[in-house]
Amino acid sequence: MLTADEATRLLDLARDAQARGDALLHLQLDVSLLEGQTSSWGSSANAVSSSDTVGSFLSEVEGLGWRLEHTGYAFAETGATSSPRALSNTTGTVTRGQVVGYFTFRRVG
């Protein structure tokens, strides 16, 4: 997820690219997480948490002289756990991962 330190690092990259005169800026950041816990019954319990600061961060990048041109998202699985369900022949699976946002900006002016 977008921490203050990560936002500062990415904003520094945007400033450096602006100073070099780059025409495009491409940033990627985690925008949400899928977390799960196994249970003794073998069922799965997944929870999604997302960042409320991505929009304001993108606005800060635009304030530096960049215009958002394209956005893409991908789910990156970081792990999964399966266990047999009690009183059943099936299994429960818990998946963990993150949704990564890819943001391409074009230099203004």
Side-chain angles (χ1 to χ4, degrees):
M1 300 281 265
L2 186 62
T3 64
D5 288 343
E6 181 67 0
T8 299
R9 185 184 76 78
L10 294 171
L11 288 171
D12 287 343
L13 289 174
R15 285 184 193 96
D16 292 346
Q18 187 77 285
R20 281 191 310 269
D22 294 358
L24 295 173
L25 171 69
H26 185 76
L27 301 176
Q28 76 178 56
L29 57 130
D30 297 343
V31 296
S32 62
L33 297 174
L34 176 63
E35 303 169 300
Q37 298 177 358
T38 58
S39 78
S40 58
W41 293 97
S43 60
S44 59
N46 287 318
V48 176
S49 57
S50 59
S51 175
D52 295 333
T53 60
V54 172
S56 62
F57 169 76
L58 296 175
S59 293
E60 285 188 54
V61 174
E62 286 206 347
L64 296 174
W66 297 99
R67 189 68 51 221
L68 185 61
E69 288 284 318
H70 182 75
T71 302
Y73 297 91
F75 177 72
E77 185 176 317
T78 58
T81 305
S82 295
S83 58
R85 289 192 168 140
L87 309 174
S88 175
N89 293 359
T90 62
T91 59
T93 301
V94 174
T95 303
R96 289 173 300 283
Q98 56 204 30
V99 175
V100 180
Y102 299 92
F103 304 95
T104 301
F105 295 85
R106 182 172 300 281
R107 183 186 183 94
V108 176

XYZ file of all heavy atoms in Angstrom:
811
model
N 0.841 -1.175 0.000
C 0.000 0.000 0.000
C 0.886 1.239 0.000
O 2.061 1.180 0.335
C -0.890 -0.025 1.217
C -1.788 -1.246 1.257
S -3.191 -1.124 0.209
C -4.338 -0.542 1.384
N 0.298 2.336 -0.348
C 1.050 3.581 -0.486
C 1.329 4.184 0.893
O 0.435 4.682 1.560
C 0.284 4.571 -1.359
C 1.000 5.855 -1.706
C 2.266 5.553 -2.505
C 0.087 6.763 -2.494
N 2.578 4.116 1.303
C 3.006 4.722 2.555
C 3.536 6.124 2.270
O 3.801 6.478 1.118
C 4.115 3.892 3.222
O 5.264 3.903 2.364
C 3.658 2.457 3.471
N 3.731 6.893 3.312
C 4.279 8.243 3.145
C 5.682 8.186 2.542
O 6.025 8.998 1.673
C 4.288 8.968 4.485
N 6.490 7.222 2.983
C 7.845 7.086 2.442
C 7.828 6.724 0.964
O 8.609 7.266 0.175
C 8.636 6.033 3.219
C 9.026 6.490 4.612
O 8.987 7.712 4.874
O 9.371 5.625 5.435
N 6.921 5.816 0.581
C 6.822 5.420 -0.828
C 6.312 6.579 -1.681
O 6.794 6.809 -2.792
C 5.920 4.196 -0.973
C 5.769 3.689 -2.385
C 7.045 3.115 -2.997
O 8.096 3.089 -2.343
O 6.984 2.700 -4.167
N 5.346 7.336 -1.167
C 4.846 8.499 -1.905
C 5.957 9.523 -2.113
O 6.104 10.067 -3.209
C 3.668 9.120 -1.160
N 6.757 9.753 -1.082
C 7.879 10.688 -1.200
C 8.879 10.208 -2.239
O 9.366 10.991 -3.073
C 8.573 10.860 0.170
O 7.630 11.400 1.094
C 9.779 11.777 0.069
N 9.199 8.918 -2.222
C 10.140 8.355 -3.185
C 9.630 8.531 -4.619
O 10.366 8.947 -5.520
C 10.364 6.868 -2.893
C 11.420 6.225 -3.785
C 11.522 4.733 -3.515
N 10.428 3.984 -4.084
C 10.322 3.660 -5.382
N 11.246 4.028 -6.243
N 9.285 2.965 -5.809
N 8.343 8.225 -4.841
C 7.770 8.342 -6.185
C 7.676 9.797 -6.635
O 7.899 10.110 -7.815
C 6.405 7.657 -6.230
C 6.427 6.138 -6.044
C 5.019 5.591 -5.890
C 7.155 5.456 -7.193
N 7.340 10.699 -5.728
C 7.299 12.118 -6.081
C 8.698 12.628 -6.434
O 8.850 13.451 -7.347
C 6.685 12.942 -4.943
C 5.183 12.769 -4.759
C 4.721 13.446 -3.472
C 4.417 13.300 -5.952
N 9.723 12.127 -5.742
C 11.098 12.487 -6.091
C 11.448 11.997 -7.494
O 12.103 12.707 -8.262
C 12.088 11.920 -5.073
C 12.063 12.657 -3.736
O 11.521 13.787 -3.691
O 12.577 12.098 -2.746
N 10.985 10.789 -7.852
C 11.199 10.282 -9.207
C 10.526 11.187 -10.239
O 11.090 11.467 -11.301
C 10.662 8.859 -9.346
C 11.429 7.745 -8.643
C 10.682 6.426 -8.768
C 12.829 7.619 -9.214
N 9.322 11.646 -9.918
C 8.595 12.530 -10.833
C 9.321 13.858 -10.995
O 9.424 14.386 -12.110
C 7.173 12.751 -10.329
N 9.842 14.396 -9.898
C 10.596 15.655 -9.970
C 11.879 15.477 -10.789
O 12.227 16.331 -11.603
C 10.934 16.139 -8.565
C 9.766 16.725 -7.817
C 10.198 17.287 -6.449
N 9.034 17.564 -5.637
C 8.535 16.732 -4.720
N 9.112 15.569 -4.472
N 7.462 17.069 -4.032
N 12.576 14.368 -10.558
C 13.808 14.104 -11.306
C 13.535 13.966 -12.808
O 14.278 14.502 -13.632
C 14.490 12.831 -10.790
C 15.050 12.986 -9.384
O 15.154 14.138 -8.896
O 15.366 11.950 -8.766
N 12.469 13.258 -13.159
C 12.115 13.091 -14.570
C 11.745 14.431 -15.193
O 12.092 14.708 -16.349
C 10.968 12.092 -14.706
N 11.067 15.263 -14.422
C 10.694 16.602 -14.907
C 11.959 17.435 -15.147
O 12.084 18.106 -16.175
C 9.783 17.271 -13.867
C 9.189 18.583 -14.281
C 8.046 18.441 -15.227
O 8.258 18.159 -16.391
N 6.838 18.627 -14.739
N 12.907 17.377 -14.222
C 14.153 18.145 -14.349
C 14.988 17.685 -15.545
O 15.666 18.495 -16.178
C 14.964 18.027 -13.060
N 14.933 16.384 -15.846
C 15.677 15.856 -17.005
C 15.009 16.209 -18.328
O 15.601 16.075 -19.388
C 15.771 14.324 -16.924
C 16.811 13.789 -16.003
C 17.000 12.296 -16.215
N 15.773 11.527 -16.202
C 15.234 10.958 -15.122
N 15.822 11.079 -13.955
N 14.119 10.274 -15.221
N 13.745 16.581 -18.255
C 13.011 16.890 -19.475
C 12.348 15.679 -20.099
O 11.991 15.713 -21.280
N 12.174 14.604 -19.335
C 11.518 13.404 -19.862
C 10.112 13.734 -20.352
O 9.396 14.526 -19.729
C 11.426 12.318 -18.788
C 12.776 11.770 -18.354
O 13.805 12.207 -18.919
O 12.803 10.914 -17.454
N 9.710 13.113 -21.436
C 8.368 13.321 -21.983
C 7.326 12.466 -21.266
O 6.162 12.852 -21.164
C 8.349 13.004 -23.470
N 7.738 11.289 -20.781
C 6.820 10.361 -20.118
C 7.352 9.970 -18.753
O 8.562 9.920 -18.518
C 6.632 9.096 -20.952
C 5.959 9.259 -22.306
C 5.999 7.942 -23.071
C 4.528 9.747 -22.145
N 6.420 9.659 -17.862
C 6.729 9.174 -16.524
C 5.850 7.966 -16.266
O 4.635 8.026 -16.474
C 6.443 10.264 -15.483
C 6.513 9.845 -14.015
C 7.963 9.534 -13.615
C 5.939 10.946 -13.133
N 6.455 6.873 -15.853
C 5.686 5.656 -15.571
C 5.928 5.265 -14.117
O 7.069 5.055 -13.703
C 6.130 4.524 -16.504
C 5.318 3.293 -16.357
N 4.046 3.172 -16.866
C 5.584 2.122 -15.741
C 3.575 1.974 -16.581
N 4.489 1.328 -15.892
N 4.852 5.197 -13.344
C 4.941 4.834 -11.931
C 4.067 3.618 -11.664
O 3.034 3.435 -12.303
C 4.462 5.983 -11.044
C 5.200 7.310 -11.160
C 4.523 8.362 -10.282
C 6.663 7.150 -10.783
N 4.491 2.802 -10.715
C 3.645 1.693 -10.274
C 3.587 1.705 -8.762
O 4.559 2.030 -8.082
C 4.143 0.356 -10.791
C 5.350 -0.203 -10.079
C 5.744 -1.560 -10.632
O 5.974 -1.694 -11.823
N 5.827 -2.545 -9.762
N 2.400 1.382 -8.235
C 2.236 1.324 -6.791
C 1.119 0.367 -6.430
O 0.201 0.124 -7.222
C 1.980 2.710 -6.198
C 0.805 3.500 -6.726
C -0.029 4.017 -5.587
C 1.339 4.664 -7.516
N 1.224 -0.202 -5.254
C 0.189 -1.100 -4.750
C -1.029 -0.271 -4.367
O -0.922 0.683 -3.606
C 0.683 -1.860 -3.517
C 1.868 -2.762 -3.806
O 2.109 -3.058 -4.994
O 2.540 -3.170 -2.850
N -2.194 -0.643 -4.912
C -3.405 0.118 -4.620
C -4.360 -0.626 -3.700
O -5.224 -0.011 -3.079
C -4.134 0.558 -5.911
C -3.263 1.519 -6.706
C -4.515 -0.619 -6.766
N -4.222 -1.957 -3.596
C -5.036 -2.713 -2.641
C -4.375 -4.056 -2.365
O -3.524 -4.517 -3.120
C -6.471 -2.896 -3.144
O -6.497 -3.639 -4.332
N -4.787 -4.651 -1.265
C -4.251 -5.944 -0.841
C -5.384 -6.932 -0.641
O -6.460 -6.564 -0.169
C -3.490 -5.802 0.478
C -2.252 -4.919 0.485
C -1.724 -4.779 1.912
C -1.182 -5.496 -0.408
N -5.136 -8.189 -0.989
C -6.060 -9.283 -0.702
C -5.367 -10.144 0.341
O -4.281 -10.679 0.100
C -6.356 -10.100 -1.955
C -7.253 -11.334 -1.767
C -8.639 -10.923 -1.278
C -7.341 -12.116 -3.055
N -5.973 -10.224 1.506
C -5.387 -10.977 2.606
C -6.387 -12.024 3.069
O -7.585 -11.808 3.016
C -5.048 -10.039 3.760
C -4.111 -8.922 3.354
C -3.992 -7.850 4.400
O -5.015 -7.248 4.734
O -2.878 -7.632 4.866
N -5.896 -13.153 3.500
C -6.792 -14.206 3.953
C -6.203 -14.984 5.102
O -5.008 -14.980 5.338
N -7.096 -15.672 5.810
C -6.685 -16.506 6.920
C -7.395 -17.843 6.807
O -8.578 -17.908 6.464
C -7.061 -15.860 8.253
C -6.393 -14.529 8.496
C -6.869 -13.902 9.791
O -7.719 -14.438 10.484
N -6.315 -12.752 10.116
N -6.646 -18.891 7.083
C -7.278 -20.208 7.095
C -8.011 -20.400 8.411
O -7.727 -19.738 9.402
C -6.220 -21.321 6.924
O -5.277 -21.193 7.979
C -5.518 -21.217 5.590
N -8.970 -21.288 8.404
C -9.680 -21.600 9.646
C -9.582 -23.092 9.898
O -9.262 -23.882 9.013
C -11.152 -21.174 9.544
O -11.889 -22.101 8.786
N -9.875 -23.490 11.106
C -9.796 -24.906 11.460
C -10.864 -25.727 10.742
O -10.755 -26.941 10.658
C -9.941 -25.068 12.975
O -11.165 -24.517 13.405
N -11.873 -25.076 10.181
C -12.915 -25.772 9.435
C -12.534 -25.960 7.975
O -13.253 -26.567 7.202
C -14.245 -25.013 9.530
C -14.788 -25.030 10.916
C -14.653 -24.062 11.858
C -15.515 -26.076 11.536
N -15.247 -24.438 13.020
C -15.800 -25.683 12.851
C -15.955 -27.328 11.108
C -16.498 -26.472 13.742
C -16.659 -28.118 11.997
C -16.926 -27.698 13.292
N -11.406 -25.392 7.562
C -10.963 -25.544 6.179
C -11.605 -24.564 5.222
O -11.414 -24.656 4.024
N -12.331 -23.618 5.746
C -12.955 -22.627 4.868
C -11.967 -21.490 4.618
O -10.914 -21.422 5.227
C -14.234 -22.091 5.498
O -13.944 -21.482 6.739
N -12.341 -20.625 3.720
C -11.467 -19.500 3.424
C -12.146 -18.200 3.831
O -13.366 -18.085 3.795
C -11.125 -19.468 1.941
O -12.297 -19.374 1.170
N -11.340 -17.257 4.244
C -11.841 -15.938 4.613
C -10.892 -14.908 4.017
O -9.789 -14.730 4.518
C -11.929 -15.791 6.120
N -11.292 -14.297 2.936
C -10.459 -13.290 2.281
C -10.999 -11.899 2.586
O -12.207 -11.703 2.707
C -10.446 -13.496 0.766
C -9.623 -14.699 0.369
O -8.550 -14.917 0.905
N -10.124 -15.477 -0.568
N -10.099 -10.951 2.717
C -10.484 -9.567 2.963
C -9.658 -8.664 2.052
O -8.463 -8.872 1.878
C -10.244 -9.202 4.419
N -10.315 -7.668 1.483
C -9.646 -6.708 0.614
C -9.494 -5.401 1.375
O -10.439 -4.911 1.978
C -10.452 -6.461 -0.680
C -9.795 -5.382 -1.525
C -10.603 -7.747 -1.465
N -8.295 -4.847 1.347
C -8.084 -3.513 1.899
C -7.491 -2.651 0.795
O -6.706 -3.126 -0.021
C -7.171 -3.562 3.125
O -5.940 -4.160 2.810
N -7.916 -1.413 0.769
C -7.434 -0.528 -0.295
C -6.938 0.780 0.292
O -7.244 1.127 1.429
C -8.541 -0.272 -1.317
O -9.650 0.322 -0.694
N -6.183 1.494 -0.522
C -5.603 2.764 -0.106
C -6.530 3.911 -0.488
O -6.968 3.995 -1.629
C -4.235 2.947 -0.755
O -3.725 4.214 -0.449
N -6.804 4.779 0.455
C -7.638 5.949 0.188
C -6.810 7.129 -0.317
O -7.359 8.174 -0.635
C -8.376 6.375 1.452
C -9.369 5.329 1.921
O -9.864 4.550 1.088
O -9.650 5.293 3.137
N -5.497 6.961 -0.399
C -4.627 8.087 -0.726
C -4.143 8.093 -2.175
O -3.442 9.021 -2.574
C -3.404 8.092 0.207
O -2.691 6.867 0.038
C -3.819 8.251 1.657
N -4.504 7.083 -2.963
C -3.999 7.005 -4.338
C -4.449 8.213 -5.158
O -3.654 8.816 -5.884
C -4.425 5.684 -5.014
C -4.066 5.686 -6.491
C -3.779 4.501 -4.315
N -5.696 8.604 -5.043
C -6.201 9.750 -5.811
C -5.481 11.041 -5.476
O -5.089 11.793 -6.381
N -5.268 11.306 -4.202
C -4.566 12.538 -3.833
C -3.101 12.470 -4.256
O -2.519 13.486 -4.651
C -4.697 12.816 -2.339
O -4.121 11.784 -1.578
N -2.496 11.273 -4.213
C -1.127 11.125 -4.687
C -1.032 11.444 -6.178
O -0.144 12.175 -6.617
C -0.600 9.712 -4.410
C 0.696 9.432 -5.102
C 1.877 9.961 -4.619
C 0.728 8.680 -6.268
C 3.075 9.728 -5.275
C 1.914 8.437 -6.925
C 3.093 8.972 -6.427
N -1.957 10.896 -6.973
C -1.956 11.165 -8.420
C -2.146 12.652 -8.684
O -1.538 13.212 -9.614
C -3.026 10.336 -9.114
C -2.828 8.819 -9.055
C -4.022 8.098 -9.666
C -1.532 8.390 -9.711
N -2.949 13.310 -7.880
C -3.138 14.757 -8.016
C -1.837 15.504 -7.726
O -1.536 16.505 -8.381
C -4.230 15.251 -7.066
O -5.477 14.732 -7.448
N -1.068 15.022 -6.747
C 0.227 15.654 -6.446
C 1.184 15.529 -7.626
O 1.913 16.470 -7.942
C 0.848 15.033 -5.202
C 0.202 15.475 -3.913
C 0.962 14.987 -2.701
O 2.180 15.255 -2.614
O 0.341 14.337 -1.852
N 1.179 14.353 -8.270
C 2.045 14.161 -9.438
C 1.632 15.124 -10.545
O 2.481 15.761 -11.177
C 2.010 12.696 -9.930
C 2.802 12.538 -11.225
C 2.552 11.758 -8.861
N 0.331 15.265 -10.773
C -0.130 16.209 -11.794
C 0.252 17.640 -11.434
O 0.557 18.449 -12.306
C -1.635 16.081 -12.006
C -2.001 14.837 -12.778
C -3.310 14.955 -13.526
O -4.078 15.902 -13.273
O -3.556 14.094 -14.384
N 0.275 17.948 -10.147
C 0.671 19.282 -9.706
C 2.124 19.607 -9.999
O 2.521 20.775 -10.011
N 2.914 18.584 -10.267
C 4.329 18.779 -10.608
C 4.535 19.023 -12.108
O 5.667 19.196 -12.548
C 5.147 17.551 -10.185
C 5.205 17.264 -8.691
C 5.924 15.947 -8.436
C 5.878 18.407 -7.952
N 3.450 18.998 -12.872
C 3.570 19.255 -14.311
C 3.396 18.029 -15.180
O 3.838 18.014 -16.328
N 2.747 16.993 -14.650
C 2.464 15.776 -15.410
C 0.965 15.632 -15.593
O 0.191 16.072 -14.753
C 3.011 14.552 -14.683
C 4.488 14.554 -14.524
C 5.192 14.929 -13.414
C 5.446 14.188 -15.504
N 6.536 14.803 -13.655
C 6.724 14.362 -14.922
C 5.366 13.734 -16.814
C 7.894 14.081 -15.613
C 6.534 13.463 -17.494
C 7.783 13.629 -16.901
N 0.542 15.001 -16.693
C -0.876 14.737 -16.951
C -1.057 13.236 -17.098
O -0.379 12.588 -17.899
C -1.318 15.445 -18.238
C -2.790 15.435 -18.495
C -3.611 16.266 -17.517
N -3.115 17.605 -17.379
C -3.038 18.273 -16.216
N -3.436 17.733 -15.103
N -2.566 19.490 -16.166
N -1.965 12.656 -16.324
C -2.211 11.214 -16.367
C -2.768 10.834 -17.733
O -3.787 11.346 -18.169
C -3.184 10.806 -15.258
C -3.454 9.314 -15.100
C -2.175 8.554 -14.761
C -4.498 9.087 -14.016
N -2.079 9.931 -18.421
C -2.470 9.510 -19.768
C -3.085 8.125 -19.805
O -3.987 7.871 -20.576
C -1.240 9.510 -20.695
C -0.735 10.876 -21.060
C -1.601 11.561 -22.091
O -2.041 10.902 -23.050
O -1.837 12.765 -21.925
N -2.556 7.220 -19.004
C -3.033 5.832 -19.061
C -2.875 5.181 -17.694
O -1.923 5.449 -16.971
C -2.232 5.043 -20.100
C -2.700 3.632 -20.244
N -3.856 3.297 -20.908
C -2.186 2.473 -19.784
C -4.024 1.989 -20.854
N -3.023 1.467 -20.175
N -3.845 4.312 -17.384
C -3.827 3.566 -16.124
C -4.115 2.108 -16.418
O -4.983 1.791 -17.225
C -4.906 4.109 -15.157
O -4.663 5.495 -14.936
C -4.872 3.388 -13.841
N -3.389 1.226 -15.767
C -3.641 -0.209 -15.869
C -3.474 -0.839 -14.500
O -2.809 -0.283 -13.621
N -4.097 -1.986 -14.325
C -4.031 -2.681 -13.038
C -3.766 -4.160 -13.277
O -4.202 -4.722 -14.278
C -5.350 -2.531 -12.265
C -5.672 -1.106 -11.913
C -6.424 -0.306 -12.766
C -5.209 -0.549 -10.734
C -6.712 1.004 -12.453
C -5.495 0.761 -10.403
C -6.252 1.537 -11.260
O -6.525 2.836 -10.946
N -3.055 -4.770 -12.350
C -2.790 -6.206 -12.417
C -2.828 -6.770 -11.003
O -2.410 -6.104 -10.048
C -1.434 -6.479 -13.045
N -3.332 -7.988 -10.885
C -3.311 -8.673 -9.597
C -2.072 -9.546 -9.551
O -1.839 -10.357 -10.452
C -4.561 -9.533 -9.403
C -4.531 -10.306 -8.112
C -4.701 -9.662 -6.903
C -4.305 -11.673 -8.109
C -4.662 -10.364 -5.704
C -4.267 -12.390 -6.926
C -4.445 -11.738 -5.719
N -1.263 -9.374 -8.522
C -0.060 -10.175 -8.334
C -0.264 -11.060 -7.112
O -0.315 -10.564 -5.980
C 1.156 -9.278 -8.151
N -0.414 -12.350 -7.347
C -0.618 -13.277 -6.240
C 0.704 -13.482 -5.505
O 1.742 -13.722 -6.119
C -1.131 -14.617 -6.754
C -1.469 -15.589 -5.641
C -2.056 -16.883 -6.154
O -2.908 -16.839 -7.066
O -1.663 -17.946 -5.644
N 0.659 -13.373 -4.192
C 1.867 -13.573 -3.396
C 1.836 -14.880 -2.627
O 2.831 -15.261 -2.025
C 2.065 -12.411 -2.396
O 0.914 -12.323 -1.552
C 2.276 -11.094 -3.133
N 0.708 -15.574 -2.654
C 0.630 -16.864 -1.985
C -0.796 -17.347 -1.873
O -1.749 -16.600 -2.056
N -0.930 -18.622 -1.585
C -2.243 -19.228 -1.376
C -2.069 -20.431 -0.464
O -1.026 -21.084 -0.486
C -2.874 -19.651 -2.703
N -3.076 -20.702 0.322
C -3.065 -21.842 1.229
C -4.372 -22.595 1.080
O -5.439 -21.987 1.105
C -2.912 -21.377 2.695
O -1.743 -20.568 2.798
C -2.796 -22.552 3.631
N -4.295 -23.895 0.904
C -5.496 -24.735 0.827
C -5.489 -25.712 1.991
O -4.435 -26.204 2.396
C -5.534 -25.522 -0.486
O -5.650 -24.652 -1.581
N -6.663 -25.979 2.500
C -6.798 -26.960 3.579
C -8.138 -27.677 3.428
O -9.100 -27.114 2.918
C -6.692 -26.274 4.945
O -7.670 -25.275 5.068
N -8.203 -28.941 3.864
C -9.464 -29.687 3.736
C -10.525 -29.112 4.665
O -10.234 -28.685 5.781
C -9.072 -31.107 4.140
C -7.806 -30.985 4.893
C -7.144 -29.731 4.454
N -11.747 -29.089 4.157
C -12.868 -28.620 4.971
C -13.377 -29.755 5.838
O -13.460 -30.905 5.403
C -13.991 -28.100 4.084
C -13.649 -26.816 3.414
C -14.870 -26.182 2.789
N -14.532 -24.824 2.399
C -14.928 -24.259 1.294
N -15.692 -24.899 0.449
N -14.573 -23.024 1.024
N -13.726 -29.408 7.049
C -14.279 -30.399 7.967
C -15.639 -30.862 7.454
O -16.403 -30.083 6.885
C -14.417 -29.797 9.359
N -15.923 -32.139 7.610
C -17.215 -32.720 7.241
C -17.515 -32.600 5.750
O -18.674 -32.497 5.346
C -18.351 -32.084 8.057
C -18.149 -32.060 9.584
C -19.254 -31.280 10.255
C -18.062 -33.473 10.149
N -16.484 -32.572 4.913
C -16.687 -32.406 3.478
C -15.489 -32.994 2.729
O -14.425 -33.191 3.289
C -16.830 -30.917 3.147
O -16.902 -30.733 1.766
N -15.692 -33.250 1.433
C -14.600 -33.736 0.589
C -13.927 -32.595 -0.167
O -13.121 -32.835 -1.050
C -15.129 -34.745 -0.440
C -15.613 -36.015 0.208
O -15.533 -36.163 1.418
N -16.113 -36.933 -0.585
N -14.255 -31.364 0.149
C -13.723 -30.211 -0.576
C -12.625 -29.525 0.236
O -12.391 -29.846 1.390
C -14.837 -29.195 -0.884
O -15.370 -28.718 0.354
C -15.950 -29.832 -1.707
N -11.990 -28.572 -0.408
C -10.962 -27.795 0.274
C -11.324 -26.317 0.246
O -12.069 -25.857 -0.620
C -9.574 -27.958 -0.394
O -9.682 -27.534 -1.742
C -9.091 -29.386 -0.331
N -10.793 -25.607 1.218
C -10.933 -24.153 1.247
C -9.603 -23.541 0.870
O -8.549 -24.030 1.270
N -9.634 -22.508 0.087
C -8.399 -21.867 -0.352
C -8.411 -20.399 0.025
O -9.407 -19.707 -0.172
C -8.220 -21.993 -1.883
O -8.204 -23.376 -2.226
C -6.931 -21.335 -2.342
N -7.303 -19.965 0.561
C -7.111 -18.566 0.900
C -6.015 -18.032 -0.019
O -4.934 -18.607 -0.100
C -6.692 -18.406 2.378
C -6.354 -16.971 2.688
C -7.789 -18.902 3.295
N -6.303 -16.956 -0.712
C -5.344 -16.346 -1.632
C -4.874 -15.019 -1.051
O -5.651 -14.278 -0.463
C -6.006 -16.103 -3.000
O -6.495 -17.336 -3.486
C -5.027 -15.525 -3.996
N -3.601 -14.747 -1.235
C -3.037 -13.471 -0.819
C -2.380 -12.815 -2.029
O -1.839 -13.497 -2.897
C -2.002 -13.680 0.287
C -2.615 -14.097 1.613
C -1.570 -14.460 2.641
N -0.713 -15.571 2.249
C -1.061 -16.858 2.280
N -2.276 -17.203 2.653
N -0.209 -17.807 1.920
N -2.453 -11.499 -2.081
C -1.831 -10.794 -3.188
C -2.088 -9.311 -3.111
O -2.624 -8.807 -2.125
N -1.714 -8.642 -4.172
C -1.888 -7.204 -4.220
C -2.318 -6.780 -5.618
O -1.977 -7.429 -6.601
C -0.592 -6.494 -3.838
C 0.585 -6.892 -4.698
C 1.912 -6.667 -4.003
O 2.019 -6.737 -2.790
N 2.926 -6.388 -4.786
N -3.061 -5.711 -5.674
C -3.403 -5.101 -6.951
C -2.414 -3.969 -7.163
O -2.273 -3.075 -6.326
C -4.851 -4.572 -6.971
C -5.134 -3.822 -8.266
C -5.832 -5.720 -6.789
N -1.699 -4.056 -8.276
C -0.690 -3.058 -8.607
C -1.271 -2.127 -9.665
O -1.848 -2.593 -10.651
C 0.593 -3.737 -9.138
C 1.647 -2.701 -9.491
C 1.133 -4.734 -8.128
N -1.148 -0.840 -9.426
C -1.586 0.151 -10.402
C -0.400 0.650 -11.202
O 0.673 0.914 -10.636
N -0.567 0.745 -12.513
C 0.468 1.262 -13.413
C -0.057 2.576 -13.980
O -1.126 2.599 -14.609
C 0.763 0.267 -14.532
C 1.278 -1.041 -14.005
C 0.413 -2.097 -13.722
C 2.639 -1.229 -13.777
C 0.887 -3.301 -13.220
C 3.118 -2.441 -13.282
C 2.236 -3.464 -12.999
O 2.708 -4.648 -12.512
N 0.675 3.650 -13.771
C 0.219 4.976 -14.152
C 1.249 5.617 -15.076
O 2.411 5.773 -14.709
C 0.010 5.837 -12.904
C -0.926 5.216 -11.916
C -0.449 4.449 -10.853
C -2.297 5.343 -12.068
C -1.307 3.856 -9.961
C -3.175 4.755 -11.173
C -2.680 4.011 -10.116
N 0.818 5.976 -16.279
C 1.701 6.623 -17.242
C 1.255 8.074 -17.375
O 0.086 8.354 -17.650
C 1.661 5.922 -18.602
O 2.048 4.564 -18.421
C 2.607 6.589 -19.589
N 2.188 8.982 -17.175
C 1.942 10.419 -17.248
C 2.700 10.998 -18.441
O 3.765 10.513 -18.800
C 2.454 11.120 -15.981
C 1.729 10.744 -14.722
C 2.094 9.618 -14.019
C 0.717 11.538 -14.235
C 1.448 9.260 -12.844
C 0.058 11.195 -13.050
C 0.422 10.057 -12.365
N 2.142 12.049 -19.029
C 2.806 12.803 -20.102
C 3.135 14.187 -19.550
O 2.352 14.789 -18.839
C 1.905 12.926 -21.316
C 2.576 13.672 -22.477
C 1.757 13.621 -23.750
N 1.525 12.266 -24.221
C 2.412 11.516 -24.884
N 3.595 12.005 -25.143
N 2.098 10.310 -25.289
N 4.308 14.648 -19.909
C 4.758 15.974 -19.487
C 3.822 17.043 -20.057
O 3.459 16.998 -21.219
C 6.185 16.185 -19.971
C 6.807 17.488 -19.557
C 8.187 17.602 -20.251
N 8.855 18.782 -19.841
C 9.722 18.831 -18.839
N 10.026 17.746 -18.173
N 10.298 19.971 -18.516
N 3.447 17.999 -19.235
C 2.587 19.100 -19.672
C 3.472 20.194 -20.257
O 4.475 20.572 -19.655
C 1.756 19.663 -18.494
C 0.962 20.862 -18.943
C 0.851 18.580 -17.935
N 3.082 20.687 -21.417
C 3.789 21.819 -22.022
C 4.970 21.485 -22.758
O 5.938 21.107 -22.890
